[in-house]
Every structure is written in structure tokens, then in C-alpha cells.
Amino acid sequence: MSRKQDVMKDITALCKRRGFIFQSSEVYGGVASTYDYGPLGVELKHNVKDWWWRSMVQLRSDIEGIDAAIIMHPKVWVASGHVDEFVDPLVECRQCHRRFKADDLENTKQCPVCGSKDSFTEPRLFHLMFQTFMGPVQSEENIAYLRPETAQGIYVNFENVRVPARQKIPFGIAQIGKAFRNEITPGNFTFRTREFEQMEMQFFVHPNEAEKWYEYWKNERRNWYESLGFHMDKLHFHDHDKLAHYARAAVDIEYDFPFGRSELEGIHNRGNFDLSRHQEHSGKSFEYFDQQRDERYIPFIVETSGGIDRCILALLVDSYCEEREASDSSKMRTVLKLHPELAPFKAGIFPLVNRDGMPEIARKIERKLRPHFMVFYDDGGSIGRRYRRQDEAGTPFCITVDGQTIDDETVTIRERDTMEQVRVKIEDIADMVACYTDHWERDKGLPSN
Ligand code: GAP
């Protein structure tokens, strides 16, 4: 097994061991490619979503938020083209019975699993939408779908959002939510799953300005990934030459995962395809009257469509390090060098020993800090062990109460990435953590006073 495959194995094991992400319904043997986020994973996920929401909605006056229902009118999926076009050609190996997306085989006639030659069946179309029934009768007319993307909930609500929010073009609507796809070949841990979360934003513009906004959003989204602390040499923009039926231009933001360069987010100039189709199928007008231009038109859409689970997997890969301990170079430590804003816990709080009033002071510090950020109290095992547990969880600070604390109300603070330690007054801890978080740069260490 190559080191790259080992890294994915190590990350999967860390996720399970520390309660970031684990197999869904594990006690029943698990459900293929479906995962649950545990206590640390759910915090990390919240932090990523918050960061996206804040930068895309709360810090801007030209984007509104929405939270649309997962089950929509079935005609939505006819209008969007999903009922007819959201299919993958599937082939099966007659020897080992494994199934593949025909597109993934790139003209090879050899089965990638068992090596048999010319063993594939003819391709047949496989629908990617999950079907269910609305109401008690399971009949054709009651068929409903679990949404395969959140975008359609934005398009059909264009007027419902624009009018009360008093927005004028150009403006956008953003949404975070679950999407479902009956993928033929899920895999690579949480990279391709059948249930996942998207963070999508649709920006409505005048047709002549779509190209300009497409370039603008490419740049904004690049900056967003940079702000999360990604190693930017691992992030790539890949222009599509083969476009989806709706797109006029498309680029993928890709990350160098251990299993290869793969998509995190798509940015598309969708033209007026979506609103025209909903106008046609619903009979309702999706035209916009542009007062400034004195012109009526169906807006063009520039979309940014990212996957939260993929972003989290990329963050875990990007921040995962195995390195030598500062105090004892014969020992290795595993550390997640996550941006402190994203880290599930901001600080671990430890009494050096469980006596001499230290636990009481440490608990007092915990109570004081908890309203400001997530903290973890730990009095189990040696200090070295406690540090290592927090390193693996990505916790940027470890605060230790020791004998000196009782005399002068100071504690030691140890920084995760550099393992540097300083003494700080208890009353200054919250400010210091906030200052460090605001000015964090990879491996830079503690802020100077
Ligand atoms: N509205 C456009 C759209 O949905 P997409 O490229 O099919 O475009 C957007 O999906 C993003 O959703 C992808 O870049 C990826 O991050 C995420 N995504 C798509 N399918 C996924 C899956 N099966 N598992 C995890 N994430 C997925």
C-alpha cells in the first residue's frame, strides 16, 4: 500500500477514534458510504458552514439566505431536466459482478477489480435521484424525489425572496442543505456519498454581465478557500471543455487528495436555462423588470456550488501532520493544524495534578471561557498525553493550571503548531485566544504582545 493510501487510512482511523466521522448504523454492519458526524465532526461542520454563511450572506448586502424543503413538487425535477437527464450509464462485470460508471472506465475493456477482459455488459441507464411517495398510496402520481441539489429550491423561490428583500439585480440567494444522489460508485470515505450537504449560491445578473460575475465569483471562492488556511498549491481551477446541458461556462475547484485531484466545488455560468425552464413548466413569469435599464429580461445565473463534506475531508487531509515531539524527538505526534476558527475546541484546560486546589481553579477557568468558545476539560493521564489528545483534535491551545497559578493567577498556554509555551494571566486568556484566532497563520505560533 502506498503512503498516500496510508494517509487516507490514518485519517479514517483518526476520525473514528476521536469521534469526528464514523460509519452510519455501524452496529448493523453499516450502510455503504453513509457516514455520521460525531461530537468533534459536528463542531467542525458547524464551523465550516458558519464561515461560509457569514462570508456569503451576513457580511454582504447583495445575498439573501433561504432554507427550502428537501421534497419539492415533482414537476421541479422535470423542468430542471433531472427526470430525463440525471442518469449515468452503468456497466457490470460479468465475472465479479462489480458495477461501474461507463464514463469512469475511459475506453478500457479490462475490469479494474478482477482484471477480466471484455467482461462488461452493455451500458444501461441508471437514475441518480432517490424516489419516494407522498401520502399513503404508493402510486405513480404520488412519486416524489429527495432533492439531488439545493439549487432548485432557490430558482423556484426567486420572486418569493427578491420581492420582500427588496433586492435588485445583481443579487444572489444562498442555501445550505442536504442533497441525495443514488451514486453508482460512492467511495473514498466521505468524498462521494449518497447523502451529503451542499452550500450553494445562485447570483442573478443581467445577461451582458454574466461573464464578468463569473470571473468575480471564481476569485471570491478562491479567496474563501485561502481564508480557511488551505495549502494553496494543492488547490486548482479546472476549466471544463465538456459542459453540462445547462452551462455556458464551468470551472471546478479541485484539491489534491491522496487518492488524486478531485472536485470540491463547481462554479457555473448557467445562462437563463433554469428560470426559463421554470417559467415554461410552471406557467409563471420569471421575467425581471430592470428599472435602471428600462428593460425586461430573464436573469442569467452564476452559481457557486460546493460540498460541505468534501470541504471537511479536504481540510482534514490538508491539516493532518505526523511530526516529532518538541520535548522528545524519539516520539511522534499526530496533529491537525486546523485554522483555530474551525477547530472543534479552541482550548483544552488541564490541572497539572488533581490536588492542591488546581482542579478547582481549572474548573473556574473552564466556566469563565465556555461562553466565549468551546473548551475541553481534561484531568486524565500525564500532561504529555493530554497534549497529544488535543493535538489530534486540532485544539489550538492547551491551558495548564500549576503550582504557580495559586501564587500569581497565571497559567501556561501551549500552542498546538509550534508547541511553544508562555505564561499568561487568567484574565487575559480570552483576549489572547481571540487575537490568535484573528491573526492565525500556519506555523506562526503565538502572537507577540
Ligand atoms: N447545482 C449544481 C450542482 O449540484 P454538482 O457539481 O453536481 O453541481 C456540487 O455538485 C458539489 O456538490 C460538488 O462540487 C461536490 O462538492 C458536492 N457533491 C456532489 N455530489 C456529491 C456526492 N455524491 N457526495 C459528496 N459531495 C457531492
Side-chain angles (χ1 to χ4, degrees):
M1 185 179 281
S2 74
R3 179 63 201 133
K4 282 187 170 183
Q5 284 167 309
D6 271 348
V7 169
M8 278 312 293
K9 252 183 89 182
D10 291 344
I11 288 173
T12 310
L14 169 74
C15 283
K16 160 92 172 124
R17 182 168 75 245
R18 296 312 313 271
F20 276 97
I21 304 169
F22 31 77
Q23 182 92 62
S24 166
S25 319
E26 200 185 57
V27 291
Y28 288 101
V31 189
S33 82
T34 313
Y35 294 94
D36 296 343
Y37 286 76
L40 295 188
V42 80
E43 288 302 325
L44 175 58
K45 201 177 202 190
H46 264 132
N47 294 342
V48 172
K49 290 201 270 191
D50 274 1
W51 195 312
W52 187 86
W53 195 255
R54 192 165 156 67
S55 69
M56 296 295 270
V57 179
Q58 294 174 337
L59 292 176
R60 303 184 64 111
S61 59
D62 59 354
I63 299 186
E64 304 293 336
I66 188 177
D67 183 13
I70 286 174
I71 296 180
M72 303 181 70
H73 197 293
K75 280 188 183 165
V76 166
W77 307 109
V78 177
S80 68
H82 282 85
V83 168
D84 287 337
E85 314 224 17
F86 203 45
V87 286
D88 268 341
L90 169 134
V91 296
E92 185 174 325
C93 169
R94 290 193 188 87
Q95 292 303 318
C96 69
H97 299 290
R98 292 292 285 268
R99 290 175 182 152
F100 307 94
K101 264 164 95 169
D103 299 350
D104 288 347
L105 292 173
E106 288 169 355
N107 296 331
T108 177
K109 292 188 181 329
Q110 189 168 17
C111 173
V113 173
C114 70
S116 303
K117 285 215 170 111
D118 295 317
S119 62
F120 295 128
T121 56
E122 281 303 307
R124 73 191 158 84
L125 292 179
F126 176 84
H127 214 285
L128 295 177
M129 276 203 293
F130 277 100
Q131 265 188 24
T132 185
F133 298 94
M134 289 279 265
V137 184
Q138 300 204 350
S139 59
E140 183 87 359
E141 63 273 18
N142 287 340
I143 285 178
Y145 301 98
L146 301 187
R147 67 180 176 200
E149 61 172 14
T150 61
Q152 301 300 326
I154 294 181
Y155 306 141
V156 298
N157 282 307
F158 171 65
E159 283 292 270
N160 283 339
V161 174
R162 187 187 71 78
V163 174
R166 294 172 49 226
Q167 285 284 2
K168 292 194 177 83
I169 273 170
F171 81 99
I173 304 176
Q175 169 162 232
I176 291 179
K178 288 254 181 177
F180 304 82
R181 296 183 191 177
N182 201 2
E183 300 278 3
I184 301 172
T185 48
N188 286 325
F189 196 27
T190 53
F191 181 80
R192 182 169 285 110
T193 51
R194 296 194 170 107
E195 175 178 344
F196 54 95
E197 260 185 291
Q198 290 186 313
M199 38 191 180
E200 294 201 297
M201 191 282 302
Q202 314 292 325
F203 207 71
F204 302 91
V205 301
H206 185 275
N208 293 348
E209 296 202 324
E211 276 173 36
K212 179 186 92 182
W213 283 107
Y214 176 66
E215 292 304 321
Y216 169 87
W217 280 109
K218 272 163 68 171
N219 199 37
E220 283 293 293
R221 296 305 300 144
R222 186 199 171 281
N223 294 344
W224 188 78
Y225 284 99
E226 189 166 26
S227 75
L228 295 186
F230 272 106
H231 287 102
M232 291 308 279
D233 56 330
K234 292 195 170 174
L235 219 69
H236 307 275
F237 278 70
H238 173 231
D239 285 308
H240 279 227
D241 23 73
K242 218 172 111 191
L243 295 173
H245 60 279
Y246 53 77
R248 291 176 176 234
V251 65
D252 284 345
I253 304 180
E254 298 177 333
Y255 180 77
D256 287 329
F257 284 98
F259 47 82
R261 189 171 291 179
S262 308
E263 176 188 339
L264 290 182
E265 170 159 343
I267 301 170
H268 312 117
N269 172 358
R270 301 178 64 113
N272 63 8
F273 174 83
D274 307 283
L275 297 188
S276 300
R277 292 278 291 194
H278 286 303
Q279 174 163 296
E280 193 186 311
H281 284 257
S282 69
K284 302 275 178 343
S285 172
F286 279 77
E287 280 189 346
Y288 170 77
F289 179 64
D290 192 324
Q291 282 180 330
Q292 248 180 339
R293 290 187 167 89
D294 193 22
E295 189 186 336
R296 195 173 285 281
Y297 56 86
I298 295 183
F300 272 32
I301 290 171
V302 176
E303 164 183 69
T304 71
S305 173
I308 292 161
D309 309 86
R310 284 192 190 175
C311 182
I312 286 170
L313 185 59
L315 281 166
L316 291 169
V317 169
D318 206 61
S319 61
Y320 183 88
C321 279
E322 281 171 20
E323 59 185 30
R324 302 215 173 272
E325 284 272 356
S327 54
D328 180 351
S329 64
S330 66
K331 285 199 186 126
M332 294 296 285
R333 68 168 188 152
T334 300
V335 51
L336 285 183
K337 295 187 175 179
L338 287 167
H339 191 301
E341 193 80 46
L342 301 177
F345 296 115
K346 304 295 176 255
I349 302 172
F350 316 146
L352 182 64
V353 288
N354 280 316
R355 56 181 153 75
D356 302 335
M358 291 180 211
E360 289 74 15
I361 300 177
R363 283 286 185 200
K364 222 166 127 184
I365 296 173
E366 181 199 356
R367 281 196 299 277
K368 203 172 139 104
L369 295 180
R370 207 171 264 291
H372 300 281
F373 41 77
M374 289 285 288
V375 291
F376 186 82
Y377 182 90
D378 190 0
D379 59 9
S382 70
I383 279 288
R385 267 179 170 228
R386 287 182 254 173
Y387 283 157
R388 280 195 292 281
R389 281 202 285 263
Q390 293 310 314
D391 286 345
E392 278 198 333
T395 309
F397 287 117
C398 289
I399 299 165
T400 306
V401 171
D402 55 19
Q404 195 179 324
T405 311
I406 292 150
D407 299 334
D408 64 5
E409 300 206 330
T410 63
V411 290
T412 60
I413 297 196
R414 179 245 197 202
E415 195 267 335
R416 175 195 68 199
D417 299 351
T418 55
M419 294 180 264
E420 195 186 334
Q421 296 197 23
V422 288
R423 276 208 92 81
V424 173
K425 278 199 159 313
I426 291 172
E427 64 193 43
D428 294 336
I429 299 173
D431 283 348
M432 181 176 172
V433 171
C435 171
Y436 174 81
T437 303
D438 286 348
H439 299 103
W440 184 78
E441 274 177 50
R442 189 173 288 278
D443 291 324
K444 199 175 133 210
L446 293 161
S448 46
N449 295 328

